Amino acid sequence: MPFLFKFIVHFRTKPNGFKISELKECHQDIVGRSWSYGNEIGQFCCTRNYVSPLGQFPTVCIETEEGRPVALEMQHEYGAIGLLYVEPEYRKMKLGSIATRALSEKVKNEGNLIFACVDENNKPSILFHEKNGFKRLPFRVCFMEYIF
């Protein structure tokens, strides 16, 4: 059962040698590869359908100066931010934190609540969110889907 976290700190740092942009249609492949549930849910919802509305919700893409996407995060259709992904060779450079803070700022500027749903067994994600200004809320969330 996921925990709910609310974002309470507002700051952002632009990384040297990188640019912060938004996810675009051309980034569908990296989004699809980074989504840990892609294979499980593939029979019900193909990745193309999941990422095609990229322009409908705030997103962040951190790219190298050459335009290679190396970190990304997006707001889910239910409002939570998530799907954070950093290419393995770019991890430990704080790009995940920068992407999360940049996306949180975008969501805040649109007047929306900034929150993330984190699986209670995902200790690294819980620690990541707590280190990046999220506060654990005193309840859990359960998602249900109606399949017709």
Side-chain angles (χ1 to χ4, degrees), residues 13 15 62 71 86 90-101 128 131-132:
T13 305
I62 298 178
V86 179
Y90 290 91
R91 294 180 184 165
K92 304 294 183 194
M93 297 175 70
K94 304 291 183 196
L95 296 178
S97 295
I98 293 165
T100 296
R101 292 174 184 164
F128 171 83
K131 286 180 183 178
N132 281 285

Side-chain angles (χ1 to χ4, degrees), residues 34-84:
S34 68
W35 192 31
S36 59
Y37 298 104
N39 290 334
E40 287 179 34
I41 298 177
Q43 61 198 23
F44 300 113
C45 172
C46 74
T47 303
R48 181 180 257 317
N49 291 336
Y50 184 79
V51 299
S52 61
L54 286 177
Q56 294 178 7
F57 304 103
T59 65
V60 167
C61 181
I62 298 178
E63 301 174 287
T64 62
E65 291 177 340
E66 297 78 33
R68 178 178 174 226
V70 295
L72 61 92
E73 190 164 24
M74 59 194 289
Q75 184 182 37
H76 293 282
E77 68 278 2
Y78 56 89
I81 65 170
L83 192 69
L84 175 64

